[in-house]
Each structure stands twice: as structure tokens, then as C-alpha cells.
Amino acid sequence: MSSTSTLAVTHLVPLAKELDENKVTPGVLGFIVFALIGGAVWLLMKSMNKHMKKVDFEEGPEPAKASAGTAATTAPADRPKGESPA
């Protein structure tokens, strides 16, 4: 250690004795971690909004209600993808 850093440490030691040893605070490191997490969330939200603006979803017209017997006999190829038979 250089003499300057040694001098700084010797001045900080008495200040550390004045602190309550039973009191725990997050300090600077806690603030930095919290700020990084906040920044990461902000960037993720910004990215999500950009991707959501690219989505072009138009819901098709609802098919007419048919009787229960005809809905179950409809071939899977006749139904739109992802639509249940009932």
C-alpha cells in the first residue's frame, strides 16, 4: 500500500468504531446492484414494447354456432390451426 492509502485507512478506522455494529445497511454496493437491476428491467421493457409493436394480430370472424354433433365430426384439416373441436 502506498502511504496515502495507509493514511486514509487509518482515518477511517475510528469512524468505523462509531458505527452501530448491530445495524446493517445496504450501502453503496446495495445501491449499485439495485440500480443495475432497475436498468436491466427498463431495457427488457423497452425491448418487449418494440417486439409487441411488431405483432400484427387480427382476429378472424367467429364461425357460426353449429350443433354439437357436426363440430365433433369436422376433420382436423378443416379447422384453423389451434382451434379446438368443441
Side-chain angles (χ1 to χ4, degrees):
M1 272 196 213
S2 70
S3 63
T4 308
S5 62
T6 307
L7 183 62
V9 170
T10 58
H11 285 287
L12 291 176
V13 171
L15 293 175
K17 294 293 182 188
E18 294 175 8
L19 294 176
D20 184 11
E21 293 178 1
N22 295 324
K23 184 177 176 183
V24 179
T25 61
V28 176
L29 180 63
F31 173 75
I32 291 171
V33 169
F34 187 76
L36 287 174
I37 291 172
V41 169
W42 180 74
L43 289 172
L44 285 170
M45 293 289 288
K46 191 173 179 180
S47 174
M48 184 189 69
N49 281 333
K50 184 170 52 169
H51 281 84
M52 290 300 285
K53 287 179 183 177
K54 291 180 183 178
V55 174
D56 186 26
F57 177 75
E58 292 182 19
E59 190 171 344
E62 187 130 342
K65 296 282 181 183
S67 66
T70 59
T73 59
T74 307
D78 296 340
R79 287 191 301 253
K81 187 175 185 178
E83 187 176 311
S84 64

PDB file of all heavy atoms in Angstrom, residues 8-50:
ATOM      1  N   ALA A   8      -5.305   7.101   4.644  1.00  0.00           N
ATOM      2  CA  ALA A   8      -6.767   7.142   4.513  1.00  0.00           C
ATOM      3  C   ALA A   8      -7.423   6.056   5.349  1.00  0.00           C
ATOM      4  O   ALA A   8      -8.443   6.288   6.002  1.00  0.00           O
ATOM      5  CB  ALA A   8      -7.153   6.989   3.050  1.00  0.00           C
ATOM      6  N   VAL A   9      -6.826   4.858   5.359  1.00  0.00           N
ATOM      7  CA  VAL A   9      -7.386   3.756   6.140  1.00  0.00           C
ATOM      8  C   VAL A   9      -7.304   4.063   7.630  1.00  0.00           C
ATOM      9  O   VAL A   9      -8.240   3.787   8.381  1.00  0.00           O
ATOM     10  CB  VAL A   9      -6.665   2.428   5.791  1.00  0.00           C
ATOM     11  CG1 VAL A   9      -7.062   1.324   6.755  1.00  0.00           C
ATOM     12  CG2 VAL A   9      -6.957   2.035   4.366  1.00  0.00           C
ATOM     13  N   THR A  10      -6.220   4.651   8.059  1.00  0.00           N
ATOM     14  CA  THR A  10      -6.086   4.966   9.494  1.00  0.00           C
ATOM     15  C   THR A  10      -7.086   6.024   9.936  1.00  0.00           C
ATOM     16  O   THR A  10      -7.506   6.026  11.087  1.00  0.00           O
ATOM     17  CB  THR A  10      -4.655   5.444   9.820  1.00  0.00           C
ATOM     18  OG1 THR A  10      -4.344   6.578   9.028  1.00  0.00           O
ATOM     19  CG2 THR A  10      -3.655   4.339   9.607  1.00  0.00           C
ATOM     20  N   HIS A  11      -7.496   6.898   9.021  1.00  0.00           N
ATOM     21  CA  HIS A  11      -8.514   7.894   9.362  1.00  0.00           C
ATOM     22  C   HIS A  11      -9.914   7.280   9.376  1.00  0.00           C
ATOM     23  O   HIS A  11     -10.789   7.774  10.084  1.00  0.00           O
ATOM     24  CB  HIS A  11      -8.471   9.071   8.385  1.00  0.00           C
ATOM     25  CG  HIS A  11      -7.320   9.996   8.615  1.00  0.00           C
ATOM     26  ND1 HIS A  11      -7.264  10.861   9.666  1.00  0.00           N
ATOM     27  CD2 HIS A  11      -6.168  10.178   7.922  1.00  0.00           C
ATOM     28  CE1 HIS A  11      -6.133  11.551   9.622  1.00  0.00           C
ATOM     29  NE2 HIS A  11      -5.442  11.149   8.560  1.00  0.00           N
ATOM     30  N   LEU A  12     -10.121   6.232   8.591  1.00  0.00           N
ATOM     31  CA  LEU A  12     -11.444   5.611   8.532  1.00  0.00           C
ATOM     32  C   LEU A  12     -11.699   4.636   9.679  1.00  0.00           C
ATOM     33  O   LEU A  12     -12.840   4.384  10.030  1.00  0.00           O
ATOM     34  CB  LEU A  12     -11.630   4.889   7.197  1.00  0.00           C
ATOM     35  CG  LEU A  12     -11.749   5.785   5.963  1.00  0.00           C
ATOM     36  CD1 LEU A  12     -11.837   4.936   4.711  1.00  0.00           C
ATOM     37  CD2 LEU A  12     -12.969   6.680   6.078  1.00  0.00           C
ATOM     38  N   VAL A  13     -10.659   4.089  10.250  1.00  0.00           N
ATOM     39  CA  VAL A  13     -10.826   3.105  11.326  1.00  0.00           C
ATOM     40  C   VAL A  13     -11.578   3.695  12.521  1.00  0.00           C
ATOM     41  O   VAL A  13     -12.516   3.080  13.025  1.00  0.00           O
ATOM     42  CB  VAL A  13      -9.461   2.504  11.734  1.00  0.00           C
ATOM     43  CG1 VAL A  13      -9.587   1.662  12.995  1.00  0.00           C
ATOM     44  CG2 VAL A  13      -8.902   1.676  10.599  1.00  0.00           C
ATOM     45  N   PRO A  14     -11.246   4.893  13.009  1.00  0.00           N
ATOM     46  CA  PRO A  14     -12.031   5.447  14.132  1.00  0.00           C
ATOM     47  C   PRO A  14     -13.485   5.705  13.752  1.00  0.00           C
ATOM     48  O   PRO A  14     -14.371   5.566  14.587  1.00  0.00           O
ATOM     49  CB  PRO A  14     -11.326   6.761  14.461  1.00  0.00           C
ATOM     50  CG  PRO A  14      -9.959   6.627  13.917  1.00  0.00           C
ATOM     51  CD  PRO A  14     -10.082   5.725  12.729  1.00  0.00           C
ATOM     52  N   LEU A  15     -13.739   6.062  12.496  1.00  0.00           N
ATOM     53  CA  LEU A  15     -15.123   6.274  12.064  1.00  0.00           C
ATOM     54  C   LEU A  15     -15.903   4.961  12.079  1.00  0.00           C
ATOM     55  O   LEU A  15     -17.087   4.938  12.389  1.00  0.00           O
ATOM     56  CB  LEU A  15     -15.155   6.888  10.663  1.00  0.00           C
ATOM     57  CG  LEU A  15     -14.616   8.312  10.532  1.00  0.00           C
ATOM     58  CD1 LEU A  15     -14.607   8.737   9.069  1.00  0.00           C
ATOM     59  CD2 LEU A  15     -15.438   9.266  11.354  1.00  0.00           C
ATOM     60  N   ALA A  16     -15.247   3.869  11.746  1.00  0.00           N
ATOM     61  CA  ALA A  16     -15.917   2.577  11.740  1.00  0.00           C
ATOM     62  C   ALA A  16     -16.300   2.155  13.150  1.00  0.00           C
ATOM     63  O   ALA A  16     -17.295   1.460  13.347  1.00  0.00           O
ATOM     64  CB  ALA A  16     -15.014   1.525  11.094  1.00  0.00           C
ATOM     65  N   LYS A  17     -15.529   2.540  14.150  1.00  0.00           N
ATOM     66  CA  LYS A  17     -15.849   2.192  15.537  1.00  0.00           C
ATOM     67  C   LYS A  17     -17.097   2.913  16.027  1.00  0.00           C
ATOM     68  O   LYS A  17     -17.776   2.448  16.925  1.00  0.00           O
ATOM     69  CB  LYS A  17     -14.666   2.514  16.454  1.00  0.00           C
ATOM     70  CG  LYS A  17     -13.455   1.663  16.198  1.00  0.00           C
ATOM     71  CD  LYS A  17     -13.740   0.223  16.572  1.00  0.00           C
ATOM     72  CE  LYS A  17     -12.483  -0.603  16.349  1.00  0.00           C
ATOM     73  NZ  LYS A  17     -12.723  -2.013  16.506  1.00  0.00           N
ATOM     74  N   GLU A  18     -17.375   4.080  15.437  1.00  0.00           N
ATOM     75  CA  GLU A  18     -18.545   4.845  15.852  1.00  0.00           C
ATOM     76  C   GLU A  18     -19.843   4.244  15.324  1.00  0.00           C
ATOM     77  O   GLU A  18     -20.905   4.531  15.854  1.00  0.00           O
ATOM     78  CB  GLU A  18     -18.426   6.287  15.357  1.00  0.00           C
ATOM     79  CG  GLU A  18     -17.285   7.056  16.002  1.00  0.00           C
ATOM     80  CD  GLU A  18     -17.119   8.438  15.392  1.00  0.00           C
ATOM     81  OE1 GLU A  18     -17.967   8.843  14.587  1.00  0.00           O
ATOM     82  OE2 GLU A  18     -16.127   9.103  15.726  1.00  0.00           O
ATOM     83  N   LEU A  19     -19.763   3.432  14.298  1.00  0.00           N
ATOM     84  CA  LEU A  19     -20.970   2.839  13.725  1.00  0.00           C
ATOM     85  C   LEU A  19     -21.537   1.786  14.660  1.00  0.00           C
ATOM     86  O   LEU A  19     -20.804   1.084  15.357  1.00  0.00           O
ATOM     87  CB  LEU A  19     -20.666   2.206  12.367  1.00  0.00           C
ATOM     88  CG  LEU A  19     -20.256   3.151  11.243  1.00  0.00           C
ATOM     89  CD1 LEU A  19     -19.895   2.351  10.001  1.00  0.00           C
ATOM     90  CD2 LEU A  19     -21.372   4.121  10.930  1.00  0.00           C
ATOM     91  N   ASP A  20     -22.850   1.669  14.657  1.00  0.00           N
ATOM     92  CA  ASP A  20     -23.516   0.646  15.452  1.00  0.00           C
ATOM     93  C   ASP A  20     -23.294  -0.706  14.779  1.00  0.00           C
ATOM     94  O   ASP A  20     -23.683  -0.904  13.624  1.00  0.00           O
ATOM     95  CB  ASP A  20     -25.005   0.968  15.556  1.00  0.00           C
ATOM     96  CG  ASP A  20     -25.742   0.007  16.454  1.00  0.00           C
ATOM     97  OD1 ASP A  20     -25.083  -0.781  17.159  1.00  0.00           O
ATOM     98  OD2 ASP A  20     -26.986   0.047  16.446  1.00  0.00           O
ATOM     99  N   GLU A  21     -22.683  -1.654  15.475  1.00  0.00           N
ATOM    100  CA  GLU A  21     -22.363  -2.948  14.883  1.00  0.00           C
ATOM    101  C   GLU A  21     -23.603  -3.816  14.686  1.00  0.00           C
ATOM    102  O   GLU A  21     -23.574  -4.796  13.948  1.00  0.00           O
ATOM    103  CB  GLU A  21     -21.329  -3.664  15.746  1.00  0.00           C
ATOM    104  CG  GLU A  21     -19.991  -2.962  15.744  1.00  0.00           C
ATOM    105  CD  GLU A  21     -18.979  -3.636  16.648  1.00  0.00           C
ATOM    106  OE1 GLU A  21     -19.309  -4.664  17.258  1.00  0.00           O
ATOM    107  OE2 GLU A  21     -17.862  -3.121  16.735  1.00  0.00           O
ATOM    108  N   ASN A  22     -24.711  -3.488  15.335  1.00  0.00           N
ATOM    109  CA  ASN A  22     -25.947  -4.253  15.184  1.00  0.00           C
ATOM    110  C   ASN A  22     -26.823  -3.726  14.055  1.00  0.00           C
ATOM    111  O   ASN A  22     -27.851  -4.309  13.753  1.00  0.00           O
ATOM    112  CB  ASN A  22     -26.739  -4.228  16.491  1.00  0.00           C
ATOM    113  CG  ASN A  22     -25.994  -4.933  17.597  1.00  0.00           C
ATOM    114  OD1 ASN A  22     -25.317  -5.927  17.357  1.00  0.00           O
ATOM    115  ND2 ASN A  22     -26.104  -4.400  18.803  1.00  0.00           N
ATOM    116  N   LYS A  23     -26.432  -2.632  13.471  1.00  0.00           N
ATOM    117  CA  LYS A  23     -27.223  -2.018  12.397  1.00  0.00           C
ATOM    118  C   LYS A  23     -26.618  -2.413  11.053  1.00  0.00           C
ATOM    119  O   LYS A  23     -25.434  -2.224  10.814  1.00  0.00           O
ATOM    120  CB  LYS A  23     -27.209  -0.499  12.538  1.00  0.00           C
ATOM    121  CG  LYS A  23     -28.076   0.219  11.546  1.00  0.00           C
ATOM    122  CD  LYS A  23     -28.046   1.709  11.807  1.00  0.00           C
ATOM    123  CE  LYS A  23     -28.837   2.454  10.770  1.00  0.00           C
ATOM    124  NZ  LYS A  23     -28.754   3.894  10.965  1.00  0.00           N
ATOM    125  N   VAL A  24     -27.454  -2.972  10.191  1.00  0.00           N
ATOM    126  CA  VAL A  24     -26.990  -3.399   8.871  1.00  0.00           C
ATOM    127  C   VAL A  24     -27.645  -2.504   7.826  1.00  0.00           C
ATOM    128  O   VAL A  24     -28.855  -2.320   7.819  1.00  0.00           O
ATOM    129  CB  VAL A  24     -27.361  -4.874   8.605  1.00  0.00           C
ATOM    130  CG1 VAL A  24     -26.912  -5.299   7.228  1.00  0.00           C
ATOM    131  CG2 VAL A  24     -26.756  -5.770   9.661  1.00  0.00           C
ATOM    132  N   THR A  25     -26.837  -1.929   6.941  1.00  0.00           N
ATOM    133  CA  THR A  25     -27.353  -1.095   5.855  1.00  0.00           C
ATOM    134  C   THR A  25     -26.830  -1.629   4.529  1.00  0.00           C
ATOM    135  O   THR A  25     -25.759  -2.233   4.472  1.00  0.00           O
ATOM    136  CB  THR A  25     -26.903   0.368   6.035  1.00  0.00           C
ATOM    137  OG1 THR A  25     -25.485   0.412   5.999  1.00  0.00           O
ATOM    138  CG2 THR A  25     -27.408   0.945   7.349  1.00  0.00           C
ATOM    139  N   PRO A  26     -27.564  -1.418   3.450  1.00  0.00           N
ATOM    140  CA  PRO A  26     -27.122  -1.940   2.157  1.00  0.00           C
ATOM    141  C   PRO A  26     -25.895  -1.223   1.610  1.00  0.00           C
ATOM    142  O   PRO A  26     -25.093  -1.819   0.914  1.00  0.00           O
ATOM    143  CB  PRO A  26     -28.325  -1.743   1.249  1.00  0.00           C
ATOM    144  CG  PRO A  26     -29.133  -0.693   1.906  1.00  0.00           C
ATOM    145  CD  PRO A  26     -28.867  -0.796   3.374  1.00  0.00           C
ATOM    146  N   GLY A  27     -25.741   0.027   1.911  1.00  0.00           N
ATOM    147  CA  GLY A  27     -24.562   0.762   1.469  1.00  0.00           C
ATOM    148  C   GLY A  27     -24.531   1.011  -0.025  1.00  0.00           C
ATOM    149  O   GLY A  27     -25.520   0.888  -0.740  1.00  0.00           O
ATOM    150  N   VAL A  28     -23.357   1.348  -0.499  1.00  0.00           N
ATOM    151  CA  VAL A  28     -23.163   1.705  -1.900  1.00  0.00           C
ATOM    152  C   VAL A  28     -23.332   0.482  -2.801  1.00  0.00           C
ATOM    153  O   VAL A  28     -23.938   0.564  -3.863  1.00  0.00           O
ATOM    154  CB  VAL A  28     -21.771   2.344  -2.102  1.00  0.00           C
ATOM    155  CG1 VAL A  28     -21.512   2.632  -3.564  1.00  0.00           C
ATOM    156  CG2 VAL A  28     -21.662   3.623  -1.287  1.00  0.00           C
ATOM    157  N   LEU A  29     -22.810  -0.649  -2.352  1.00  0.00           N
ATOM    158  CA  LEU A  29     -22.928  -1.865  -3.162  1.00  0.00           C
ATOM    159  C   LEU A  29     -24.392  -2.244  -3.370  1.00  0.00           C
ATOM    160  O   LEU A  29     -24.790  -2.615  -4.480  1.00  0.00           O
ATOM    161  CB  LEU A  29     -22.174  -3.023  -2.502  1.00  0.00           C
ATOM    162  CG  LEU A  29     -22.215  -4.351  -3.257  1.00  0.00           C
ATOM    163  CD1 LEU A  29     -21.540  -4.198  -4.621  1.00  0.00           C
ATOM    164  CD2 LEU A  29     -21.554  -5.445  -2.449  1.00  0.00           C
ATOM    165  N   GLY A  30     -25.206  -2.122  -2.343  1.00  0.00           N
ATOM    166  CA  GLY A  30     -26.634  -2.404  -2.471  1.00  0.00           C
ATOM    167  C   GLY A  30     -27.303  -1.464  -3.462  1.00  0.00           C
ATOM    168  O   GLY A  30     -28.151  -1.885  -4.256  1.00  0.00           O
ATOM    169  N   PHE A  31     -26.932  -0.195  -3.422  1.00  0.00           N
ATOM    170  CA  PHE A  31     -27.499   0.763  -4.362  1.00  0.00           C
ATOM    171  C   PHE A  31     -27.090   0.424  -5.796  1.00  0.00           C
ATOM    172  O   PHE A  31     -27.917   0.488  -6.716  1.00  0.00           O
ATOM    173  CB  PHE A  31     -27.058   2.190  -4.025  1.00  0.00           C
ATOM    174  CG  PHE A  31     -27.483   3.193  -5.053  1.00  0.00           C
ATOM    175  CD1 PHE A  31     -28.794   3.609  -5.123  1.00  0.00           C
ATOM    176  CD2 PHE A  31     -26.572   3.691  -5.970  1.00  0.00           C
ATOM    177  CE1 PHE A  31     -29.197   4.524  -6.087  1.00  0.00           C
ATOM    178  CE2 PHE A  31     -26.964   4.597  -6.932  1.00  0.00           C
ATOM    179  CZ  PHE A  31     -28.274   5.015  -6.989  1.00  0.00           C
ATOM    180  N   ILE A  32     -25.829   0.062  -5.988  1.00  0.00           N
ATOM    181  CA  ILE A  32     -25.352  -0.261  -7.341  1.00  0.00           C
ATOM    182  C   ILE A  32     -26.081  -1.486  -7.888  1.00  0.00           C
ATOM    183  O   ILE A  32     -26.527  -1.490  -9.042  1.00  0.00           O
ATOM    184  CB  ILE A  32     -23.824  -0.469  -7.330  1.00  0.00           C
ATOM    185  CG1 ILE A  32     -23.119   0.871  -7.068  1.00  0.00           C
ATOM    186  CG2 ILE A  32     -23.340  -1.077  -8.626  1.00  0.00           C
ATOM    187  CD1 ILE A  32     -21.630   0.752  -6.816  1.00  0.00           C
ATOM    188  N   VAL A  33     -26.236  -2.520  -7.062  1.00  0.00           N
ATOM    189  CA  VAL A  33     -26.946  -3.727  -7.505  1.00  0.00           C
ATOM    190  C   VAL A  33     -28.393  -3.387  -7.836  1.00  0.00           C
ATOM    191  O   VAL A  33     -28.931  -3.812  -8.862  1.00  0.00           O
ATOM    192  CB  VAL A  33     -26.859  -4.829  -6.429  1.00  0.00           C
ATOM    193  CG1 VAL A  33     -27.793  -5.979  -6.742  1.00  0.00           C
ATOM    194  CG2 VAL A  33     -25.432  -5.317  -6.295  1.00  0.00           C
ATOM    195  N   PHE A  34     -29.039  -2.613  -6.985  1.00  0.00           N
ATOM    196  CA  PHE A  34     -30.432  -2.215  -7.223  1.00  0.00           C
ATOM    197  C   PHE A  34     -30.557  -1.389  -8.502  1.00  0.00           C
ATOM    198  O   PHE A  34     -31.484  -1.591  -9.293  1.00  0.00           O
ATOM    199  CB  PHE A  34     -30.959  -1.415  -6.029  1.00  0.00           C
ATOM    200  CG  PHE A  34     -32.410  -1.101  -6.108  1.00  0.00           C
ATOM    201  CD1 PHE A  34     -33.371  -2.063  -5.841  1.00  0.00           C
ATOM    202  CD2 PHE A  34     -32.825   0.175  -6.463  1.00  0.00           C
ATOM    203  CE1 PHE A  34     -34.724  -1.767  -5.916  1.00  0.00           C
ATOM    204  CE2 PHE A  34     -34.173   0.485  -6.548  1.00  0.00           C
ATOM    205  CZ  PHE A  34     -35.135  -0.494  -6.272  1.00  0.00           C
ATOM    206  N   ALA A  35     -29.624  -0.484  -8.734  1.00  0.00           N
ATOM    207  CA  ALA A  35     -29.646   0.338  -9.951  1.00  0.00           C
ATOM    208  C   ALA A  35     -29.433  -0.524 -11.190  1.00  0.00           C
ATOM    209  O   ALA A  35     -30.082  -0.306 -12.220  1.00  0.00           O
ATOM    210  CB  ALA A  35     -28.590   1.434  -9.860  1.00  0.00           C
ATOM    211  N   LEU A  36     -28.551  -1.510 -11.112  1.00  0.00           N
ATOM    212  CA  LEU A  36     -28.331  -2.404 -12.258  1.00  0.00           C
ATOM    213  C   LEU A  36     -29.570  -3.235 -12.560  1.00  0.00           C
ATOM    214  O   LEU A  36     -29.929  -3.415 -13.735  1.00  0.00           O
ATOM    215  CB  LEU A  36     -27.129  -3.315 -11.992  1.00  0.00           C
ATOM    216  CG  LEU A  36     -25.761  -2.648 -12.052  1.00  0.00           C
ATOM    217  CD1 LEU A  36     -24.667  -3.635 -11.627  1.00  0.00           C
ATOM    218  CD2 LEU A  36     -25.474  -2.121 -13.445  1.00  0.00           C
ATOM    219  N   ILE A  37     -30.222  -3.723 -11.522  1.00  0.00           N
ATOM    220  CA  ILE A  37     -31.452  -4.498 -11.740  1.00  0.00           C
ATOM    221  C   ILE A  37     -32.530  -3.605 -12.348  1.00  0.00           C
ATOM    222  O   ILE A  37     -33.247  -4.013 -13.272  1.00  0.00           O
ATOM    223  CB  ILE A  37     -31.927  -5.134 -10.420  1.00  0.00           C
ATOM    224  CG1 ILE A  37     -30.949  -6.230  -9.999  1.00  0.00           C
ATOM    225  CG2 ILE A  37     -33.334  -5.699 -10.548  1.00  0.00           C
ATOM    226  CD1 ILE A  37     -31.210  -6.799  -8.627  1.00  0.00           C
ATOM    227  N   GLY A  38     -32.649  -2.379 -11.848  1.00  0.00           N
ATOM    228  CA  GLY A  38     -33.620  -1.441 -12.404  1.00  0.00           C
ATOM    229  C   GLY A  38     -33.331  -1.126 -13.866  1.00  0.00           C
ATOM    230  O   GLY A  38     -34.238  -1.068 -14.694  1.00  0.00           O
ATOM    231  N   GLY A  39     -32.052  -0.935 -14.195  1.00  0.00           N
ATOM    232  CA  GLY A  39     -31.673  -0.678 -15.587  1.00  0.00           C
ATOM    233  C   GLY A  39     -31.966  -1.862 -16.486  1.00  0.00           C
ATOM    234  O   GLY A  39     -32.420  -1.705 -17.620  1.00  0.00           O
ATOM    235  N   ALA A  40     -31.717  -3.068 -15.978  1.00  0.00           N
ATOM    236  CA  ALA A  40     -31.999  -4.273 -16.765  1.00  0.00           C
ATOM    237  C   ALA A  40     -33.496  -4.416 -17.015  1.00  0.00           C
ATOM    238  O   ALA A  40     -33.919  -4.755 -18.129  1.00  0.00           O
ATOM    239  CB  ALA A  40     -31.463  -5.507 -16.054  1.00  0.00           C
ATOM    240  N   VAL A  41     -34.312  -4.150 -16.015  1.00  0.00           N
ATOM    241  CA  VAL A  41     -35.775  -4.216 -16.192  1.00  0.00           C
ATOM    242  C   VAL A  41     -36.222  -3.177 -17.204  1.00  0.00           C
ATOM    243  O   VAL A  41     -37.082  -3.455 -18.063  1.00  0.00           O
ATOM    244  CB  VAL A  41     -36.494  -4.031 -14.835  1.00  0.00           C
ATOM    245  CG1 VAL A  41     -37.990  -3.829 -15.019  1.00  0.00           C
ATOM    246  CG2 VAL A  41     -36.233  -5.229 -13.945  1.00  0.00           C
ATOM    247  N   TRP A  42     -35.665  -1.985 -17.136  1.00  0.00           N
ATOM    248  CA  TRP A  42     -36.036  -0.933 -18.089  1.00  0.00           C
ATOM    249  C   TRP A  42     -35.693  -1.352 -19.522  1.00  0.00           C
ATOM    250  O   TRP A  42     -36.493  -1.176 -20.436  1.00  0.00           O
ATOM    251  CB  TRP A  42     -35.325   0.368 -17.714  1.00  0.00           C
ATOM    252  CG  TRP A  42     -35.647   1.506 -18.620  1.00  0.00           C
ATOM    253  CD1 TRP A  42     -36.810   2.228 -18.661  1.00  0.00           C
ATOM    254  CD2 TRP A  42     -34.807   2.044 -19.645  1.00  0.00           C
ATOM    255  NE1 TRP A  42     -36.727   3.184 -19.648  1.00  0.00           N
ATOM    256  CE2 TRP A  42     -35.507   3.089 -20.272  1.00  0.00           C
ATOM    257  CE3 TRP A  42     -33.525   1.734 -20.087  1.00  0.00           C
ATOM    258  CZ2 TRP A  42     -34.981   3.823 -21.305  1.00  0.00           C
ATOM    259  CZ3 TRP A  42     -33.002   2.474 -21.118  1.00  0.00           C
ATOM    260  CH2 TRP A  42     -33.721   3.502 -21.719  1.00  0.00           C
ATOM    261  N   LEU A  43     -34.491  -1.917 -19.706  1.00  0.00           N
ATOM    262  CA  LEU A  43     -34.098  -2.365 -21.044  1.00  0.00           C
ATOM    263  C   LEU A  43     -34.990  -3.511 -21.543  1.00  0.00           C
ATOM    264  O   LEU A  43     -35.356  -3.554 -22.727  1.00  0.00           O
ATOM    265  CB  LEU A  43     -32.637  -2.798 -21.049  1.00  0.00           C
ATOM    266  CG  LEU A  43     -31.616  -1.665 -20.927  1.00  0.00           C
ATOM    267  CD1 LEU A  43     -30.218  -2.235 -20.743  1.00  0.00           C
ATOM    268  CD2 LEU A  43     -31.673  -0.763 -22.149  1.00  0.00           C
ATOM    269  N   LEU A  44     -35.339  -4.433 -20.645  1.00  0.00           N
ATOM    270  CA  LEU A  44     -36.236  -5.526 -21.037  1.00  0.00           C
ATOM    271  C   LEU A  44     -37.619  -5.013 -21.423  1.00  0.00           C
ATOM    272  O   LEU A  44     -38.219  -5.492 -22.392  1.00  0.00           O
ATOM    273  CB  LEU A  44     -36.356  -6.542 -19.899  1.00  0.00           C
ATOM    274  CG  LEU A  44     -35.162  -7.458 -19.709  1.00  0.00           C
ATOM    275  CD1 LEU A  44     -35.300  -8.244 -18.416  1.00  0.00           C
ATOM    276  CD2 LEU A  44     -35.009  -8.395 -20.890  1.00  0.00           C
ATOM    277  N   MET A  45     -38.141  -4.044 -20.684  1.00  0.00           N
ATOM    278  CA  MET A  45     -39.451  -3.469 -21.016  1.00  0.00           C
ATOM    279  C   MET A  45     -39.394  -2.742 -22.356  1.00  0.00           C
ATOM    280  O   MET A  45     -40.328  -2.827 -23.160  1.00  0.00           O
ATOM    281  CB  MET A  45     -39.903  -2.506 -19.912  1.00  0.00           C
ATOM    282  CG  MET A  45     -40.195  -3.177 -18.600  1.00  0.00           C
ATOM    283  SD  MET A  45     -41.682  -4.169 -18.642  1.00  0.00           S
ATOM    284  CE  MET A  45     -42.904  -2.899 -18.704  1.00  0.00           C
ATOM    285  N   LYS A  46     -38.318  -2.038 -22.600  1.00  0.00           N
ATOM    286  CA  LYS A  46     -38.155  -1.326 -23.868  1.00  0.00           C
ATOM    287  C   LYS A  46     -38.110  -2.320 -25.032  1.00  0.00           C
ATOM    288  O   LYS A  46     -38.763  -2.122 -26.053  1.00  0.00           O
ATOM    289  CB  LYS A  46     -36.869  -0.496 -23.810  1.00  0.00           C
ATOM    290  CG  LYS A  46     -36.701   0.474 -24.928  1.00  0.00           C
ATOM    291  CD  LYS A  46     -35.491   1.351 -24.678  1.00  0.00           C
ATOM    292  CE  LYS A  46     -35.320   2.299 -25.838  1.00  0.00           C
ATOM    293  NZ  LYS A  46     -34.179   3.174 -25.665  1.00  0.00           N
ATOM    294  N   SER A  47     -37.375  -3.410 -24.857  1.00  0.00           N
ATOM    295  CA  SER A  47     -37.280  -4.440 -25.887  1.00  0.00           C
ATOM    296  C   SER A  47     -38.637  -5.116 -26.103  1.00  0.00           C
ATOM    297  O   SER A  47     -39.036  -5.383 -27.237  1.00  0.00           O
ATOM    298  CB  SER A  47     -36.238  -5.474 -25.496  1.00  0.00           C
ATOM    299  OG  SER A  47     -36.226  -6.535 -26.409  1.00  0.00           O
ATOM    300  N   MET A  48     -39.340  -5.393 -24.997  1.00  0.00           N
ATOM    301  CA  MET A  48     -40.651  -6.029 -25.117  1.00  0.00           C
ATOM    302  C   MET A  48     -41.627  -5.135 -25.880  1.00  0.00           C
ATOM    303  O   MET A  48     -42.375  -5.614 -26.744  1.00  0.00           O
ATOM    304  CB  MET A  48     -41.227  -6.343 -23.739  1.00  0.00           C
ATOM    305  CG  MET A  48     -42.551  -7.083 -23.800  1.00  0.00           C
ATOM    306  SD  MET A  48     -43.360  -7.235 -22.219  1.00  0.00           S
ATOM    307  CE  MET A  48     -43.824  -5.548 -21.902  1.00  0.00           C
ATOM    308  N   ASN A  49     -41.614  -3.845 -25.590  1.00  0.00           N
ATOM    309  CA  ASN A  49     -42.512  -2.930 -26.296  1.00  0.00           C
ATOM    310  C   ASN A  49     -42.189  -2.895 -27.789  1.00  0.00           C
ATOM    311  O   ASN A  49     -43.088  -2.850 -28.625  1.00  0.00           O
ATOM    312  CB  ASN A  49     -42.419  -1.529 -25.701  1.00  0.00           C
ATOM    313  CG  ASN A  49     -43.201  -1.412 -24.420  1.00  0.00           C
ATOM    314  OD1 ASN A  49     -44.162  -2.128 -24.206  1.00  0.00           O
ATOM    315  ND2 ASN A  49     -42.769  -0.515 -23.565  1.00  0.00           N
ATOM    316  N   LYS A  50     -40.909  -2.928 -28.131  1.00  0.00           N
ATOM    317  CA  LYS A  50     -40.523  -2.923 -29.539  1.00  0.00           C
ATOM    318  C   LYS A  50     -41.028  -4.191 -30.238  1.00  0.00           C
ATOM    319  O   LYS A  50     -41.551  -4.118 -31.346  1.00  0.00           O
ATOM    320  CB  LYS A  50     -39.001  -2.812 -29.654  1.00  0.00           C
ATOM    321  CG  LYS A  50     -38.518  -2.705 -31.091  1.00  0.00           C
ATOM    322  CD  LYS A  50     -37.049  -2.351 -31.222  1.00  0.00           C
ATOM    323  CE  LYS A  50     -36.148  -3.227 -30.426  1.00  0.00           C
ATOM    324  NZ  LYS A  50     -34.730  -3.041 -30.747  1.00  0.00           N
TER     325      LYS A  50
END
